[in-house]
Amino acid sequence: MPKRYGEMSKDMSDAVLVTGGAGYIGSHATLCLLEAGYSVVVLDNLCNSSARSLERVAQICGRQPHFVQGDTRDTALVEQTLKDHNVSVVLHFAGLKAVGESVEKPLMYYENNVAGSVSLCKAMQAAGVFNLVFSSSATVYGEPETMPIDEDCPAGVPTNPYGLSKKMVEQVLTDLAASDDRWSIALLRYFNPVGAHESGLMGEDPQGIPNNLVPYVSQVAVGKLAALQVFGDDYPTVDGTGVRDYIHVVDLAKGHLKAIDALKSRKGAHIWNLGTGVGYSVLQVVKAFEKASGRDIPFNIAPRRSGDIAECWANPEKAKAELGWVAEHGIERMMEDTWRWQRDNPEGYGV
């Protein structure tokens, strides 16, 4: 039997199901939803997340989501959960996300990310729920020819099964919306989520060696890792290192609430970039983190990684115009909040 805890509020009219809601971005979205007055149900199999994140959510806002431990591939469980809690919209974060692991275990990624999404949609259809916000990624653009990247930029060929799984799910959802005009679907293409809640109680808790730059830098700063590996210093960028668009996780979470509002008056599938529109190099991020933490970050230069591109940042104007959403936090705040979380929780949710 699935594990359940927490109490739903009495007003069930705006209940939201958050798949993967105990994960990094999902838990911050759950907090934002609760703070906005929504009833929230979290579905998570805890394969790469911790239920402690939801305890921290309750600690911050005084409300706790209802939790169902389960998998999106369990269609019957998802359908029953949607019906039991009168869910009207789903935020879909559940999925595996390690690029390197996806190359080693592609079947696991397609099964979890793609088949899991298909199963979720079957359950939603059976339960009569047709509002969906999907956690996609800028990786679907592949290697774009021009910067910044806007939503009209054609999807490219992602360089790994993780990125391909996101592109496949986008296609599934686009085809689904075209086949049935009851569906309202937001495809939110994230750039590089970083940061943590300002309380220091919630943040990114990667399993094992971090795959992404900022959690790796923060673990070097706290002494868990010896030095940062910088892959390539000969790109045609400001200092030779790769440039990316980093977005604060709380800004990102708020974008999902804006998408929920937008879907109320929109049918079909709609794409929005969620980024700041500003690119920072690896070394600029390192300097910002050193300033935030007051600690030196030793690093070594390594050869470029296959598949990495020189630069990538968003044109966020469509989200501003259509969602009324703008990223509010700059790189300094992103690094300060990351450091507070890492300093106060050196073992993540493991303590």
Side-chain angles (χ1 to χ4, degrees):
M1 292 293 291
K3 176 183 174 184
R4 292 180 168 89
Y5 64 79
E7 294 296 328
M8 294 290 290
S9 70
K10 292 181 180 179
D11 179 13
M12 306 282 276
S13 60
D14 284 315
V16 179
L17 175 67
V18 183
T19 73
Y24 173 44
I25 304 171
S27 61
H28 284 82
T30 295
L31 175 60
C32 285
L33 287 164
L34 291 169
E35 290 177 332
Y38 286 92
S39 298
V40 182
V41 186
V42 168
L43 176 78
D44 201 304
N45 65 11
L46 303 180
C47 74
N48 56 5
S49 59
S50 171
R52 290 193 180 96
S53 67
L54 302 181
E55 297 170 5
R56 302 287 181 89
V57 165
Q59 188 177 340
I60 292 167
C61 72
R63 296 181 62 204
Q64 186 159 287
H66 189 96
F67 176 60
V68 178
Q69 184 170 338
D71 197 292
T72 55
R73 292 168 290 183
D74 188 341
T75 310
L77 172 64
V78 177
E79 180 184 345
Q80 195 61 50
T81 300
L82 292 165
K83 291 177 177 177
D84 286 349
H85 300 287
N86 196 29
V87 169
S88 61
V89 60
V90 176
L91 302 190
H92 181 31
F93 298 97
L96 301 174
K97 61 179 184 177
V99 169
E101 182 182 60
S102 78
V103 175
E104 297 169 2
K105 302 176 180 178
L107 290 181
M108 185 170 74
Y109 272 68
Y110 294 130
E111 168 67 21
N112 193 296
N113 296 3
V114 182
S117 298
V118 170
S119 177
L120 170 67
C121 290
K122 287 181 178 178
M124 291 177 65
Q125 194 162 264
V129 181
F130 297 98
N131 301 305
L132 175 63
V133 180
F134 174 56
S135 165
S136 192
S137 167
T139 59
V140 302
Y141 290 115
E143 298 189 38
E145 295 180 0
T146 60
M147 291 292 151
I149 301 170
D150 61 34
E151 291 82 354
D152 291 330
C153 179
V157 180
T159 56
N160 54 76
Y162 162 73
L164 279 167
S165 75
K166 291 292 187 184
K167 185 178 178 182
M168 288 177 180
V169 175
E170 280 199 7
Q171 189 63 58
V172 168
L173 297 178
T174 300
D175 291 344
L176 180 60
S179 73
D180 185 342
D181 62 11
R182 291 176 296 177
W183 284 92
S184 296
I185 300 174
L187 308 174
L188 301 184
R189 292 175 175 173
Y190 308 164
F191 280 69
N192 293 70
V194 298
H197 190 266
E198 63 183 357
S199 65
L201 292 172
M202 295 169 59
E204 188 168 9
D205 185 19
Q207 308 297 309
I209 302 297
N211 293 293
N212 297 322
L213 173 64
V214 174
Y216 202 110
V217 169
S218 67
Q219 290 196 11
V220 171
V222 84
K224 290 186 69 175
L225 297 171
L228 172 69
Q229 290 278 90
V230 177
F231 296 101
D233 64 350
D234 57 351
Y235 287 105
T237 61
V238 62
D239 56 24
T241 63
V243 170
R244 299 292 183 269
D245 186 336
Y246 297 92
I247 177 173
H248 197 293
V249 66
V250 173
D251 283 332
L252 187 63
K254 290 178 179 177
H256 293 74
L257 273 68
K258 293 289 190 179
I260 290 174
D261 290 339
L263 290 183
K264 293 174 183 177
S265 60
R266 285 178 170 84
K267 295 295 183 181
H270 304 272
I271 299 168
W272 289 288
N273 285 338
L274 294 185
T276 66
V278 180
Y280 291 95
S281 73
V282 172
L283 295 184
Q284 286 173 331
V285 170
V286 169
K287 286 184 179 179
F289 201 94
E290 287 180 332
K291 181 179 179 181
S293 65
R295 300 193 177 188
D296 291 334
I297 307 296
F299 63 87
N300 303 306
I301 302 297
R304 294 186 188 186
R305 291 182 299 191
S306 176
D308 277 355
I309 59 178
E311 53 189 8
C312 176
W313 69 88
N315 178 351
E317 289 303 311
K318 186 182 178 189
K320 179 179 179 181
E322 297 182 0
L323 302 182
W325 174 88
V326 177
E328 298 176 357
H329 301 316
I331 193 71
E332 295 82 6
R333 175 66 181 274
M334 297 179 209
M335 298 304 106
E336 289 167 2
D337 288 345
T338 300
W339 172 239
R340 184 183 303 109
W341 155 254
Q342 185 70 75
R343 180 196 66 202
D344 295 349
N345 304 270
E347 302 302 323
Y349 293 114
V351 293

